[in-house]
C-alpha cells in the first residue's frame, strides 16, 4: 500500500515562535489534518499526532515510543537527573527491597493521610477566603491548596507553605531549563543554577522532615526512614530517600493547583452551575460525601480537564517506523500527542470550545477521545487520585461560597499560556461571597463554620 507523504508546516520563524505551540499546533492541523510535521528549525521537525486514532495506536504499541528524547530532555530523564538513582545502585539492593516493602505495607495508611490532608487543605482554603468583597488571586489560593492537600502526608504537618511553593517553583524552573536550553548548556546539569535550587529545596525539605519526625509519625518520610539501616550515613540516607519521595510528589501533586484553578475560573463565570453543585451537596458534608453522590461536581471537573488538560502535549520518540492511517512516521522522530487538540475537535465534541459542566454526566460517549493525563495503566492511578481531589475541593467551595471573576480581571489573563503546564497569563482575581447559611443543611455545618 502506498503511504502519503506527511505534510510539513513551516514554523521556523520568529512569528510562530512567539505565538507558541498551542496556536501553532491548532493552525498546522487546521491546514493539513491530524498528522503534520511542524518544522521548528532547519534540522528538526515535531510530528503532531492530533487524533484519537493516534492515541489508540500509542496505547496499543507503547513499545514503539520512547520517553527519552535524544537531544531533548524528557520529563522522565529530567526527573532522574533531579532525584538521583542511588536506590538503583547494586550495593543498596537490600535497602531498595526494604523500601518497596515498606511502601506496600503503609499504602492504605498513606491513602488515609492524603485524605486527611485534602480535607484539612480544603477547610483552610475556605477559612482563608476573604469575606469582605475583596478579590483573591486564584493562582495563590490554588497553589497553596495543592501543597496542603499532599505535602503533610509526605513531609509531616510542620510545613512552611510559602517555602514549599517556592521550592516547587524551583523544580518547575529546572524542568523548564532542561527542556529549553541547548545540549551544550545542559550537558553538566548539576552546575546549572536551576538544578542547584531544585535539588537544594528537595534535600532541605527531606532533611527537615527527618529531623522533625519520629518513627510513629503519620507521614511518608518518617515511615520509609524506619527501614533504612542506622549505620547509613546522613548523606546516603538523603540520597536513598530522595527518589522515593520525589516520585510520590510527582505522582500526587498537581503543580500550582492549576487544574483546580481552571475549573474555578469556569465556575466563576457560571453562577448557576456553581449553585447546582451546591444543591447536590445539600444534606451532606462535601468533605466526606462520595464523588458518585456529587455527579455534577465530578462532571464539571472532568470538563475543566477537557478544556485545560494537565498534559496538553505529550512528547515521545519513535523507536521504529510507526504507521498511522495513511502515513508512516519515521524512526527516531519526535512525536507530539495532543490532548489539547483532540479535546477541542468538533468532530468528537459538540460545541467543543464551550464549557458545559454537565457534559460528562453521560461519560461513556467521551471515553474514546478524552486524555487529560495521557494513556496507560500508570496514568489511571493518578487520574483517579486527581479527579477525587478536584471534585472534593470544587463541591466544597460551591457549597459554601458564590464566586465571580472580579471586574478588574483582564480577560487575557484567563487565556492559557503553555509552559510545562497551562498557566494563566497573569493574576486571576475572584470575589467570593458566602452562600445563604439558612439554605445549608445541618450536616454542612463544618463548612458553614469555616466560612464565618
Amino acid at each position: 500500500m502506498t503511504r502519503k507523504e506527511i505534510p510539513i508546516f513551516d514554523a521556523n520563524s520568529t512569528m510562530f515562535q512567539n505565538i507558541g505551540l498551542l496556536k501553532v499546533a491548532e493552525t498546522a492541523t487546521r491546514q493539513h489534518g491530524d498528522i503534520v510535521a511542524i518544522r521548528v528549525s532547519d534540522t528538526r521537525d515535531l510530528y503532531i499526532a492530533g487524533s484519537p486514532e493516534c492515541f489508540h495506536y500509542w496505547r496499543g504499541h507503547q513499545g514503539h515510543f520512547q520517553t527519552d528524547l535524544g537531544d531533548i530532555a524528557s520529563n522522565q530523564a529530567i526527573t532522574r537527573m533531579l532525584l538521583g538513582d542511588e536506590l538503583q545502585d547494586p550495593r543498596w539492593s537490600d535497602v531498595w527491597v526494604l523500601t518497596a516493602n515498606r511502601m506496600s505495607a503503609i499504602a492504605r495508611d498513606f491513602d488515609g493521610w492524603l485524605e486527611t490532608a485534602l480535607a484539612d487543605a480544603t477547610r483552610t482554603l475556605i477559612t482563608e477566603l476573604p469575606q469582605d468583597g475583596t478579590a483573591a488571586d486564584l493562582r495563590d489560593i490554588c497553589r497553596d491548596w495543592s501543597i496542603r492537600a499532599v505535602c503533610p502526608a509526605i513531609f509531616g504537618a510542620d510545613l512552611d507553605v510559602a517555602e514549599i511553593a517556592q521550592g516547587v517553583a524551583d523544580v518547575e524552573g529546572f524542568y523548564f531549563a532542561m527542556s529549553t536550553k541547548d545540549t551544550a548548556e545542559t550537558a553538566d546539569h548539576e552546575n546549572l543554577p536551576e538544578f542547584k535550587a531544585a535539588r537544594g529545596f528537595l534535600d532541605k525539605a527531606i532533611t527537615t522532615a527527618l529531623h522533625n519526625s519520629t518513627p510513629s509519625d503519620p507521614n511518608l518520610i518518617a515511615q520509609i526512614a524506619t527501614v533504612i539501616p542506622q549505620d547509613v550515613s546522613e548523606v546516603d540516607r538523603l540520597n536513598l530517600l530522595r527518589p522515593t519521595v520525589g516520585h510520590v510528589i510527582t505522582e500526587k501533586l498537581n503543580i500550582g493547583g492549576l487544574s483546580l484553578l481552571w475549573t474555578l475560573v469556569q465556575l466563576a463565570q457560571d453562577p448557576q452551575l456553581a449553585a447546582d453543585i451546591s444543591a447536590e451537596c445539600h444534606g451532606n458534608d462535601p468533605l466526606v460525601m462520595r464523588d458518585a453522590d456529587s455527579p455534577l461536581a465530578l462532571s464539571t471537573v472532568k470538563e475543566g480537564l477537557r478544556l485545560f488538560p494537565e498534559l496538553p502535549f505529550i512528547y515521545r520518540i519513535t523507536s521504529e517506523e510507526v504507521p498511522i492511517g495513511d502515513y508512516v512516521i519515521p524512526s527516531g522522530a519526535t512525536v507530539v500527542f495532543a490532548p489539547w487538540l483532540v479535546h477541542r475537535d468538533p468532530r468528537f465534541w459538540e460545541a467543543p470550545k464551550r464549557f458545559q459542566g454537565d457534559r460528562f454526566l453521560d461519560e461513556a460517549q467521551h471515553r474514546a477521545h478524552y486524555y487529560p493525563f495521557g494513556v496507560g495503566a500508570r496514568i489511571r492511578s493518578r487520574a483517579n487520585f486527581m479527579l477525587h481531589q478536584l471534585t472534593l475541593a470544587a463541591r466544597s467551595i460551591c457549597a459554601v461560597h458564590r464566586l465571580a471573576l472580579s471586574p478588574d480581571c483582564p480577560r487575557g489573563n484567563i487565556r492559557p499560556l503553555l509552559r510545562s503546564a497551562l498557566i494563566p497569563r497573569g493574576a486571576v482575581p475572584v470575589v467570593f461571597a458566602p452562600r445563604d447559611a439558612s439554605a445549608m443543611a445541618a450536616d454542612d455545618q463544618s463548612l458553614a463554620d469555616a466560612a464565618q
Side-chain angles (χ1 to χ4, degrees):
M1 177 180 176
T2 303
R3 298 287 184 175
K4 293 182 180 178
E5 184 174 346
I6 296 177
I8 296 174
F9 181 84
D10 191 353
N12 186 20
S13 70
T14 302
M15 181 188 74
F16 284 117
Q17 290 169 3
N18 287 340
I19 67 174
L21 185 57
L22 295 178
K23 281 297 183 184
V24 167
E26 289 175 354
T27 304
T29 53
R30 185 167 59 247
Q31 290 185 11
H32 296 293
D34 294 327
I35 298 179
V36 54
I38 295 180
R39 182 141 296 160
V40 295
S41 73
D42 293 336
T43 60
R44 181 167 159 242
D45 293 339
L46 299 178
Y47 289 81
I48 295 290
S51 73
E53 181 183 14
C54 299
F55 280 88
H56 299 332
Y57 185 92
W58 176 23
R59 181 182 283 118
H61 304 83
Q62 293 196 36
H64 294 181
F65 301 93
Q66 306 169 22
T67 54
D68 288 333
L69 304 182
D71 62 337
I72 308 168
S74 70
N75 276 6
Q76 184 172 330
I78 297 169
T79 299
R80 285 198 302 271
M81 295 175 194
L82 179 61
L83 302 181
D85 55 2
E86 198 78 4
L87 274 175
Q88 306 304 312
D89 190 316
R91 67 193 178 102
W92 297 115
S93 58
D94 290 344
V95 175
W96 185 91
V97 172
L98 291 171
T99 299
N101 289 344
R102 188 60 181 156
M103 285 289 290
S104 297
I106 66 169
R108 183 169 295 181
D109 291 333
F110 185 52
D111 287 343
W113 303 336
L114 286 166
E115 193 68 22
T116 297
L118 172 60
D120 290 345
T122 306
R123 286 193 192 94
T124 299
L125 182 158
I126 291 169
T127 302
E128 293 182 349
L129 290 175
Q131 305 295 306
D132 59 358
T134 303
D137 189 347
L138 279 187
R139 297 177 303 172
D140 299 332
I141 291 170
C142 295
R143 177 201 63 210
D144 291 355
W145 168 84
S146 69
I147 290 168
R148 291 179 174 129
V150 170
C151 289
I154 298 173
F155 297 106
D158 188 18
L159 293 175
D160 184 326
V161 174
E163 188 172 300
I164 291 181
Q166 180 57 54
V168 170
D170 289 339
V171 171
E172 284 290 285
F174 176 60
Y175 276 83
F176 185 70
M178 291 299 297
S179 308
T180 55
K181 293 179 182 292
D182 62 36
T183 305
E185 292 177 290
T186 60
D188 188 8
H189 68 271
E190 292 188 1
N191 281 325
L192 288 174
E194 293 89 351
F195 173 85
K196 293 177 180 178
R199 174 66 73 85
F201 154 66
L202 286 171
D203 287 356
K204 181 181 178 182
I206 294 170
T207 300
T208 300
L210 279 171
H211 289 165
N212 292 343
S213 297
T214 67
S216 61
D217 285 349
N219 68 73
L220 181 70
I221 289 177
Q223 294 304 308
I224 297 301
T226 62
V227 301
I228 298 178
Q230 292 300 310
D231 60 353
V232 171
S233 72
E234 186 169 338
V235 171
D236 284 337
R237 185 179 300 270
L238 185 59
N239 289 336
L240 292 169
L241 280 168
R242 192 190 308 112
T244 299
V245 171
H247 283 296
V248 171
I249 293 173
T250 301
E251 180 184 353
K252 300 299 185 185
L253 187 64
N254 180 234
I255 301 297
L258 289 170
S259 294
L260 179 62
L261 180 147
W262 290 117
T263 296
L264 293 181
V265 164
Q266 302 305 315
L267 285 167
Q269 299 174 84
D270 192 340
Q272 186 57 56
L273 176 59
D276 290 344
I277 291 174
S278 176
E280 74 176 0
C281 299
H282 186 72
N284 296 286
D285 183 347
L287 293 173
V288 299
M289 65 190 294
R290 298 186 314 149
D291 295 342
D293 293 331
S294 57
L296 183 58
L298 179 58
S299 174
T300 297
V301 164
K302 290 180 176 179
E303 177 72 342
L305 287 165
R306 180 185 70 83
L307 281 176
F308 305 94
E310 185 178 63
L311 295 175
F313 296 102
I314 304 165
Y315 294 77
R316 292 292 183 268
I317 284 284
T318 55
S319 55
E320 58 186 77
E321 288 189 345
V322 172
I324 302 180
D326 295 332
Y327 301 106
V328 174
I329 298 175
S331 178
T334 302
V335 178
V336 182
F337 295 96
W340 173 266
L341 298 177
V342 177
H343 288 182
R344 293 166 176 258
D345 193 320
R347 292 174 297 175
F348 315 120
W349 306 90
E350 180 183 350
K353 294 187 178 181
R354 186 171 73 228
F355 189 94
Q356 295 178 195
D358 61 355
R359 190 186 297 268
F360 285 86
L361 292 178
D362 182 9
E363 182 182 14
Q365 64 176 309
H366 302 306
R367 287 176 183 159
H369 37 266
Y370 184 65
Y371 319 97
F373 302 97
V375 302
R378 295 177 64 185
I379 297 300
R380 201 170 300 122
S381 173
R382 175 166 174 77
N384 291 336
F385 177 79
M386 288 306 309
L387 286 171
H388 171 62
Q389 266 201 331
L390 298 168
T391 301
L392 183 146
R395 72 180 176 231
S396 297
I397 293 168
C398 289
V400 175
H401 285 286
R402 300 188 305 276
L403 61 160
L405 283 178
S406 168
D408 297 329
C409 180
R411 303 302 294 183
N413 283 13
I414 57 175
R415 290 173 48 219
L417 180 66
L418 179 63
R419 287 292 182 255
S420 56
L422 295 171
I423 63 172
R425 295 170 183 264
V428 186
V430 169
V431 177
F432 294 85
R435 291 194 181 276
D436 182 1
S438 65
M440 296 182 182
D443 288 342
D444 298 333
Q445 197 58 48
S446 65
L447 284 175
D449 291 344
Q452 302 305 314

